[in-house]
Amino acid sequence: MRFHTRKWVKPEDLNPNGTLFGGKLLAWIDEELALYTIIQLENPKVVTKHMSEINFRSSAKQGDIIEIGIDVVKFGNSSLTLKCEVRNMMTRETIISIDTTTMVNLGADGKPKAHGKTQIEYVKNRLL
C-alpha cells in the first residue's frame, strides 16, 4: 500500500472524547480517494459510489500525525475500486481500514463514462 497523505490532528478535528472525530477522518479519506481517482483517470469529474464496511480499529489524539494509504483493487469500465488504510504515525496502529470504495468517472453530462484505463499510471510517466 502506498501512503500518499499525512494529516496533523488539531483541536478542531476532535470529538467530545478528545479523540479524532470519525466523520472528519471519513471526509479526509473521501477527499483523498477522489483526488487519487482524478489523477489516475485524468478527469476532474468523479464521484464516490460505494464504500464497503468501515472498520475503526484505533484512534488518534490531538498532536498525532496520521497517514492515508491507498491501493487499487480493480479497474472497471467507468469506475476505479480502491482500498484504504489510515495509520497513526505516533502509535504505528491502524486507525481504520476500508476494503473497497468504488469511485465513478463521469462525463460532461454527469453520467458514468468509460475511462479506458487498465493499470496504475504515475504522473512522471505521462510527462515523458
Side-chain angles (χ1 to χ4, degrees), residues 1-7 25 29 32-33 36 57 65-72 83-89 92-98 122:
M1 179 160 301
R2 296 177 61 97
F3 287 82
H4 298 271
T5 298
R6 292 186 178 115
K7 295 282 188 180
L25 179 57
I29 291 168
E32 190 64 24
L33 294 173
Y36 184 89
R57 296 166 49 185
I65 299 168
I66 66 164
E67 280 188 313
I68 301 172
I70 299 170
D71 256 345
V72 174
K83 73 184 211 178
C84 177
E85 179 182 331
V86 179
R87 62 187 180 194
N88 186 323
M89 294 292 297
R92 308 304 295 165
E93 293 181 307
T94 295
I95 297 172
I96 191 173
S97 59
I98 304 171
Y122 298 98

